[in-house]
Amino acid sequence: MRNTAIILAVVTLILLAIAYITGGFELVTEGFLTAGMTASQALLMIFAAFLVIGQLQTLVTSDMIKGWMQKYAGGRGIAISSIAGGLFPGGPYIFYPFLAGFKGKGISFYLLFSFVSGKQTYDFTRLPLEISLITPWIAILRNILTFPVPFIMGLISWRFFPQGVAGASWEEGE
Amino acid sequence: MVVTTIIFFIIAGILFFLNIKHGRHMEGIQAGLRQLIIALPVILLALLLSGFLEVLIPEEFIKRWLAQEAGFTGVILGTFGGMIMAFGPYASYPIIATIYGSGAGLGTTISMLSGWTLLGLSRIPFECGFLGVKFSLLRMTLHLVFCIMAGTVAHLFDLWFL
């Protein structure tokens, strides 16, 4: 997060300099005003979005997700894995080690595949931010258009890569 | 925006009551506020950056490469643009919103958003490290197809209905 802030600050400073060179103080002021206007409109919504995110992350635990993953298989398993992926709390530094923990524990490759795809496509804790920082209708349209992706990914891997990628067995630890 | 904010507060309230059952309702509020405090500087910087982008991006560039008129080129550019935007959601979403607000087509915007969501390069090191390079390559290849499809459908929707 700190690195992101530094990169953003540097890029913003560069843009500020370009604005000053090309349009003078007037364009710089316009940039600040545009940013201020957006911030004043969005901040309360962002606050509410984080309240949702916190409650959701507390409600759905990793153990709950683990239980679902081990219980279902086949088409139903793909559907459950996709949704479970979307519900899984935490960023990549929690998500991927959690998944790696399934290696060699009898979870089919296609379930893992739809789980990863579900996390990236849905990520329900990211949805409030998507709605508040972009616009509700664009966020909803994107979610509708990509909704089937994790299911299709699961079905493709179930049909074409039942043993994992390049013949490596997921169950035995790829 | 007001309606969305109200909806969020209602959802937060429902989740709060669901968490009361497990005695974790306050933990939920704390978790949310903690994340907000951590993310707020990045959000504010991203909004500032977006403000400058909005006043600096030349109209001609948007029209030629990203607007509805750009067609399939916009979808491809959007997909790869979203993919290389190696920031978290706090920074990426305001930037995508600005590009859309500046006149980018629906197809470009949706493919950029899908590209960031499904192909984001910032997650690749984790994925390769924990699940393997082959896993990551297979997922990226399939997701790339879906991003382009989503952008194309959005572009056609924009062309025919909006």
Side-chain angles (χ1 to χ4, degrees):
Chain A
M1 195 72 82
R2 196 174 151 213
N3 288 342
T4 307
I6 293 168
I7 294 168
L8 284 176
V10 170
V11 177
T12 307
L13 281 174
I14 292 169
L15 290 181
L16 195 147
I18 294 171
Y20 184 73
I21 293 164
T22 54
F25 191 66
E26 202 177 307
L27 198 60
V28 172
T29 313
E30 200 185 325
F32 274 113
L33 283 176
T34 310
M37 189 90 80
T38 315
S40 66
Q41 288 170 347
L43 278 179
L44 186 64
M45 189 157 55
I46 291 168
F47 172 74
F50 273 93
L51 287 183
V52 174
I53 292 167
Q55 293 295 338
L56 198 60
Q57 285 180 345
T58 312
L59 192 66
V60 182
T61 61
S62 306
D63 286 341
M64 198 185 281
I65 302 283
K66 204 172 178 177
W68 294 348
M69 290 282 288
Q70 287 167 333
K71 203 173 165 185
Y72 299 98
R76 188 187 281 185
I78 290 172
I80 299 287
S81 295
S82 304
I83 302 293
L87 284 169
F88 188 87
Y93 40 87
I94 300 172
F95 175 70
Y96 288 111
F98 169 81
L99 277 185
F102 280 118
K103 273 189 177 180
K105 287 187 180 168
I107 297 280
S108 303
F109 175 78
Y110 66 91
L111 293 182
L112 262 303
F113 211 56
S114 46
F115 187 80
V116 172
S117 189
K119 170 73 176 169
Q120 292 177 346
T121 309
Y122 307 139
D123 201 340
F124 295 107
T125 56
R126 205 175 54 206
L127 188 60
L129 287 173
E130 194 172 344
I131 290 172
S132 59
L133 292 172
I134 302 190
T135 60
W137 95 272
I138 293 277
I140 290 165
L141 184 65
R142 199 283 296 166
N143 276 282
I144 290 171
L145 287 175
T146 55
F147 183 78
V149 172
F151 302 102
I152 299 171
M153 295 279 284
L155 289 172
I156 290 173
S157 55
W158 190 19
R159 173 70 181 82
F160 297 104
F161 310 98
Q163 300 301 313
V165 267
S169 170
W170 175 262
E171 281 83 351
E172 287 166 12
E174 195 190 336
Chain B
M1 207 171 270
V2 176
V3 176
T4 315
T5 309
I6 293 168
I7 292 172
F8 278 151
F9 275 116
I10 293 170
I11 295 172
I14 294 168
L15 292 171
F16 179 84
F17 281 108
L18 288 174
N19 270 328
I20 284 180
K21 266 198 235 170
H22 310 283
R24 293 204 300 257
H25 49 295
M26 291 315 290
E27 198 184 309
I29 290 181
Q30 283 166 1
L33 292 180
R34 205 166 34 239
Q35 285 181 66
L36 175 63
I37 290 165
I38 294 169
L40 201 57
V42 173
I43 293 174
L44 292 176
L45 275 170
L47 289 174
L48 192 59
L49 190 151
S50 302
F52 281 106
L53 269 183
E54 201 168 322
V55 297
L56 281 174
I57 297 179
E59 217 171 290
E60 193 50 42
F61 174 82
I62 298 280
K63 267 190 192 153
R64 180 154 184 204
W65 297 107
L66 305 173
Q68 192 203 62
E69 295 81 14
F72 195 63
T73 310
V75 171
I76 299 291
L77 280 178
T79 302
F80 286 100
M83 183 177 163
I84 59 167
M85 205 181 287
F87 297 123
Y90 314 119
S92 300
Y93 288 156
I95 294 170
I96 295 172
T98 302
I99 292 170
Y100 175 63
S102 304
L106 190 61
T108 308
T109 310
I110 292 293
S111 56
M112 190 176 282
L113 196 49
S114 304
W116 179 84
T117 306
L118 300 177
L119 302 168
L121 289 180
S122 58
R123 289 182 294 260
I124 298 301
F126 290 99
E127 191 172 82
C128 289
F130 285 103
L131 302 177
V133 176
K134 284 175 192 165
F135 181 100
S136 200
L137 273 177
L138 179 65
R139 186 196 59 73
M140 291 282 281
T141 309
L142 292 173
H143 271 174
L144 178 67
V145 176
F146 288 117
C147 282
I148 293 171
M149 277 169 67
T152 306
V153 171
H155 173 63
L156 295 176
F157 182 77
D158 194 13
L159 217 56
W160 293 336
F161 299 107
L162 298 177

